[in-house]
Amino acid sequence: MSYVNHYDVVIAGAGIVGASVAWHLAAGGARVAVVDAVGPAAAASGASDGAVSVASKKPGPLARLASASLVYTRDLAAGGVLAGAFHARPSFVFGQGAAELAALDALVSKLHAISGPVHVTGDGPAAQLPCLGPGVERLITLEGEGHMPGHKAVRAYLSAPGITPIWPAPIQGFDIDDAGVTLHLPDRRLRAGHLVAALGTRTTDLFPRLPILPRAGQLFVTDRGVPDLLPGSLTAAAYLVAKTEASDAVPLPPVVVDPLTTGQFLIGSSREPHADPNRVDFATLRQLMARAVSALPALAERRIIRAFAGIRAAVADSLPVVGPLPGESRVTLATGFEGDGICLSALMGRELARMVRGLPLTQGIAADLALLSPARFTDARQEAWG
Ligand SMILES: Cc1cc2nc3c(=O)[nH]c(=O)nc-3n(C[C@H](O)[C@H](O)[C@H](O)COP(=O)(O)OP(=O)(O)OC[C@H]3O[C@@H](n4cnc5c(N)ncnc54)[C@H](O)[C@@H]3O)c2cc1C
């Protein structure tokens, strides 16, 4: 088999993380190929809610990186590559009962401590928003966050000149030598100076001992309703607890309602320990819908027109895996973004492009990025990377 093509960098995976890295590298003049087994946004990036949210992040490195990514996403949307993909809107977080009200207190303290781009502009009873119903005891209003459908961002990033799309092409393996990396595709081999593996839950196909765990999430979409009924996303505090503490300590459905620009509502999302994107569980959907209706009664008039599931790539320590493969400077990993990949993608694309080009990381976030290094899985290292 002869070698065809030669790229500076091959990106494995056309999800939002791979697409963002590709765009940043191409913008810096690199010749980039993006290879995907199916096509753009075929996995989690095409089946997600799309909240670019700091409020939903665990305090610490993840919240700080999300703040930096939100600011950068807003920059890229201001007449840049993400102009048609990201839109700013308020976020409303609501609670009912002692456990959720305590979670709202924690949210306010966290945002105050971060002192970042997201501000609490309202805190009080549901009456602040006339469309809300009896399921909302207290409502926090946040300004600064936004929404970005994953498929729109992927399309925007990949339309840049200098990026060669290659799909459908499942990568079956790769070899590394002193001069570069050779990717094994079903019908050919690709040569590049560097490989960035952004394969989501399927990272373990090529790096089998990396501790990536599937977390399924179900979402559903309504028909078109009254436009502008809900001016921003509406999130139950239970969702923040489920996400930041990986616990179901709040015994209420962790619902999120996001109004789409089409007038439809996107409603999600569960967290289930399996990897089957074809499994839709109607009991879960009913629970989420019942809570959504009690918070936003007008939803009772809407019909569900689509239900689907996406699979998040989770890591046991709840941090993504970003950085060079230990001992192999020509391979960089970017995976494990669980429920945060849409939010983090802009920043990750910029910083991964800097890593690949051998440039220093952006000051102020380098220490947090170092915590994401694959080198932290020391036990798995030999077999995972061998
Ligand atoms: C229900 C749900 C709700 C979510 N809500 C949010 C949210 O509100 N905000 C947020 O920030 N994040 C959210 N997320 C998380 C977000 O969607 C993911 O973190 C993000 O999409 C991950 O992007 P990725 O590029 O790392 O992986 P993916 O999008 O999974 O992309 C990986 C790509 O690799 C390709 N691939 C796999 N194996 C191979 C192979 N061998 N060869 C070639 N290609 C291969 C796949 O086809 C796929 O296209 C949600 C996720 C789900 C499931």
Side-chain angles (χ1 to χ4, degrees):
M1 202 177 283
S2 61
Y3 290 150
V4 291
N5 297 329
H6 188 109
Y7 299 97
D8 296 320
V9 185
V10 170
I11 313 288
I16 195 165
V17 174
S20 175
V21 184
W23 183 83
H24 283 86
L25 282 165
R31 291 195 314 137
V32 182
V34 179
V35 182
D36 199 282
V38 182
S45 300
S48 69
D49 176 353
V52 182
S53 163
V54 175
S56 65
K57 303 298 174 281
K58 193 174 179 161
L62 216 47
R64 288 191 294 269
L65 291 169
S67 291
S69 197
L70 169 61
V71 171
Y72 184 47
T73 303
R74 294 194 311 214
D75 289 349
L76 292 181
V81 64
L82 296 178
F86 172 86
H87 79 274
R89 46 102 175 107
S91 323
F92 303 100
V93 189
F94 71 96
Q96 188 178 35
E100 281 202 319
L101 297 187
L104 293 183
D105 286 339
L107 169 65
V108 172
S109 306
K110 175 178 77 178
L111 291 174
H112 185 69
I114 294 173
S115 173
V118 180
H119 304 284
V120 177
T121 56
D123 183 354
Q128 293 176 83
L129 262 189
C131 60
L132 298 186
V136 178
E137 197 178 329
R138 176 180 167 195
L139 187 73
I140 307 277
T141 305
L142 306 176
E143 293 289 343
E145 301 191 335
H147 190 245
M148 183 163 71
H151 65 95
K152 283 193 183 176
V154 169
R155 198 184 318 129
Y157 281 133
L158 293 183
S159 61
I163 298 176
T164 303
I166 299 175
W167 51 70
I171 299 164
Q172 296 165 327
F174 66 91
D175 302 315
I176 310 170
D177 56 50
D178 289 345
V181 182
T182 305
L183 254 67
H184 300 232
L185 305 184
D187 61 344
R188 61 187 141 152
R189 293 183 180 200
L190 280 187
R191 276 292 282 180
H194 201 106
L195 167 67
V196 176
L199 296 164
T201 53
R202 304 303 298 266
T203 306
T204 47
D205 291 1
L206 296 186
F207 304 93
R209 297 293 296 270
L210 201 60
I212 303 289
L213 312 161
R215 281 281 173 279
Q218 297 182 54
L219 290 161
F220 48 106
V221 180
T222 70
D223 60 359
R224 289 170 193 235
V226 183
D228 305 325
L229 174 78
L230 179 67
S233 62
L234 182 63
T235 301
Y239 180 82
L240 305 186
V241 176
K243 204 159 176 300
T244 58
E245 296 171 23
S247 97
D248 51 6
V250 177
L252 291 169
V255 74
V256 180
V257 180
D258 231 307
L260 302 179
T261 50
T262 54
Q264 296 165 286
F265 294 93
L266 178 63
I267 302 173
S269 59
S270 56
R271 313 180 82 70
E272 297 153 46
H274 67 81
D276 183 357
N278 297 317
R279 198 197 295 180
V280 175
D281 169 17
F282 289 98
T284 304
L285 292 185
R286 253 199 305 271
Q287 284 178 356
L288 290 171
M289 195 63 196
R291 185 141 204 232
V293 168
S294 83
L296 186 65
L299 283 177
E301 306 300 319
R302 304 271 53 83
R303 287 189 306 155
I304 295 170
I305 60 166
R306 193 157 85 91
F308 58 97
I311 312 299
R312 309 172 182 95
V315 182
D317 62 8
S318 301
L319 289 176
V321 181
V322 177
L325 190 64
E328 297 290 359
S329 61
R330 292 187 178 278
V331 178
T332 302
L333 295 177
T335 185
F337 291 96
E338 208 194 342
D340 304 316
I342 305 295
C343 173
L344 293 173
S345 54
L347 185 81
M348 290 300 146
R350 186 183 76 192
E351 298 304 318
L352 279 154
R354 296 184 74 84
M355 277 182 205
V356 169
R357 296 171 68 202
L359 300 173
L361 301 180
T362 301
Q363 232 182 349
I365 58 168
D368 285 330
L369 281 168
L371 299 174
L372 313 187
S373 167
R376 69 189 191 267
F377 302 111
T378 47
D379 291 346
R381 194 180 314 175
Q382 288 312 315
E383 284 171 80
W385 323 135

